[in-house]
Amino acid sequence: MREIAARSGFAPITVSRALSSPEKVSKETRDRILEVVRELNFVPNNVAGSMRSPSRIIATIVPPIINLGIAEQVKGMSDASQAAGYQFLLVQGELTGTAEEKAIRALLGWRPAGFVLQAFVKSKASRELLTNYGAPIVEISEIRGRQPIDTAVGLSNFETAYAMTTYLIDKGYKRIGFVNVPAHGNDRLSQRGQGYRAALADRRRKHGPSQEIEVPLTPHGGTLALNALMSRKPAIDAIFFSSDSLALAAIQEAHRQGWDVPGDVAIAGYGDLDFAQELYPRLTTVQIPRYEMGKRAVETLVSRIDGRLAPGGIFKLDFAVVERESA
Amino acid sequence: MREIAARSGFAPITVSRALSSPEKVSKETRDRILEVVRELNFVPNNVAGSMRSPSRIIATIVPPIINLGIAEQVKGMSDASQAAGYQFLLVQGELTGTAEEKAIRALLGWRPAGFVLQAFVKSKASRELLTNYGAPIVEISEIRGRQPIDTAVGLSNFETAYAMTTYLIDKGYKRIGFVNVPAHGNDRLSQRGQGYRAALADRRRKHGPSQEIEVPLTPHGGTLALNALMSRKPAIDAIFFSSDSLALAAIQEAHRQGWDVPGDVAIAGYGDLDFAQELYPRLTTVQIPRYEMGKRAVETLVSRIDGRLAPGGIFKLDFAVVERESA
DNA sequence: CTGTTAGCGCTTTCAG
DNA sequence: CTGAAAGCGCTAACAG
């Protein structure tokens, strides 16, 4: 930058202004400086810039099980940060115990302007670390029941699961099973189970452990779950899977076993991943606006950073039960 | 850091040493300093640190079509960077035209220690920008034909497609179709087409445009491709899809149409995504070590950064044709 | 609208 | 093994 200054005949601070706040500099000066910048192919050093003025970095932690849904979300976040002129510092890892704290420390080292986290921060130490740091935080998360550290964007997994279960009841299914995946202390997943159970209870349907099973979040988990639940007595006639990946495999397994879907067993998923409408039969599922969620999270964070938004907000996104052929 | 120094009775530089090169400080001093660090919950400012010594940031650009394969790769990269003590600055976007250059500039502003790029850099301006900057670069890419800017980790898409096509010929399929997706100037994809054609030519099989089709990389593209190719004359008895996502949808569409797989038409995929072995019939596909690729890329980059590795290397990873039921 | 001065928080260099 | 001085490249604050 000193060199640009020398070559253009202005002071370094004028170069700085021409680049970061062009409106504070006369047109002629700006043009001359930008010309030299282009000539030298100069890229300003953000590291140095971030020493005095706040850094334009958004820090984020992404869960280790990257499925298509999370990928969509990251895309939304990335697009929104680019639009707002922020860069994206990413750590992938489970927000659990000391790993959570370690990840947060690593990110804090870069003095980011804000955080987007994929779930509510659990450990006390981590919460303290973040609140002491003072930057805005948007949590993309289950919005039922808990108070965000700062701001939350998300939806109620309870409601989504409740809605799907009610849909299945209204369709006339008598005995509805539910397949969950290990919650890893993440309450989105347990909220889905609770929504399912609450819907059955409200409609006075029987339910109990014999209608539920927990399997790993892999396609193979879906295969296991279907076989396990189909052997239960009395017979289950519909199964709600808490992920489309599981439902995908379950539909395949049904073909293999010669079971008709939805005739012998109806299958519903969660997420509306891109393949859902191409399955045979097409998958009935809960549509979650993942991309939108990521985008909104970053936009909300930027408003917080700019001071255009007060903390404490909880922004709820819409979802939909998408009726297709499988249930 | 000044405060730590004051409280512990040492000079700031000693605190710095206790944190970054503990071996240069006596045990008693170190213990005392670390005690105060913990007490104050101090997180060193990497931004400041990166002004004098090289930053521990790895910059990366991820393609906009984030599928499961790319997600696996990002996971591999992230794990390896964490292990090596680097942070991950991520831009999502197509490496095309001016967007490529813009993304690279944004990353350069952070003076990263190195780059991991998902394909060979195309525009001359971008290549210059990167070579002038001087940091090591690992390209995860098609390794056939082109010279990396610095170092490459990847495999030959030509060879993988050649291998799968040969496998299908050896299985006795007579007329083998191929489904590609728009290459976006990305030669991985065009290499797959070339490998397919070369295998047919080497075995003296007829081939021509009537056996090929290009569709968008979405599940729906698979549905379209299957129907289009099945209506071609003479009849096609096997189809090689250049992505598992396409093959997934094609298998579903075959069920819908009542076509037996592989009896009426064999279906092969590319990628061995997690659902491949749960499909009905299980998908024959090309297994690519995506996670490994990401991990190796970062490990290789770190070796380059540390000077343990000279530039110019091309590291080839293994692949496998996985025989299952669909072809 | 442009310039001077000082300083962000750390680490390199050179001395003790 | 520890410390003093200087400076990384930029921008806030305060002139002019």
Side-chain angles (χ1 to χ4, degrees), chain A residues 114-130:
Chain A
F115 280 85
V116 175
L117 302 177
Q118 298 280 334
F120 283 107
V121 172
K122 278 148 312 215
S123 87
K124 187 142 177 298
S126 306
R127 286 183 93 96
E128 253 169 35
L129 220 46
L130 287 170

Side-chain angles (χ1 to χ4, degrees), chain A residues 72-73 76 153 289-299 317:
Chain A
E72 269 302 304
Q73 211 167 281
V153 167
R290 302 280 195 170
Y291 176 89
E292 189 63 22
M293 235 156 118
K295 189 154 159 282
R296 279 286 296 280
V298 168
E299 288 167 355
L317 295 178

Side-chain angles (χ1 to χ4, degrees), chain A residues 42-47, chain B residues 50 54-55 57 107-114 133:
Chain A
F42 170 71
V43 179
N45 186 331
N46 294 334
V47 176
Chain B
S50 305
S55 81
I57 282 191
L107 293 170
L108 277 177
W110 290 97
R111 301 296 187 265
Y133 178 59

Side-chain angles (χ1 to χ4, degrees), chain B residues 239-262:
Chain B
I239 303 177
F240 175 21
F241 289 83
S242 83
S243 157
D244 279 357
S245 309
L246 300 173
L248 158 63
I251 285 182
Q252 307 304 306
E253 182 63 12
H255 288 305
R256 187 167 283 122
Q257 300 285 358
W259 297 327
D260 181 59
V261 177

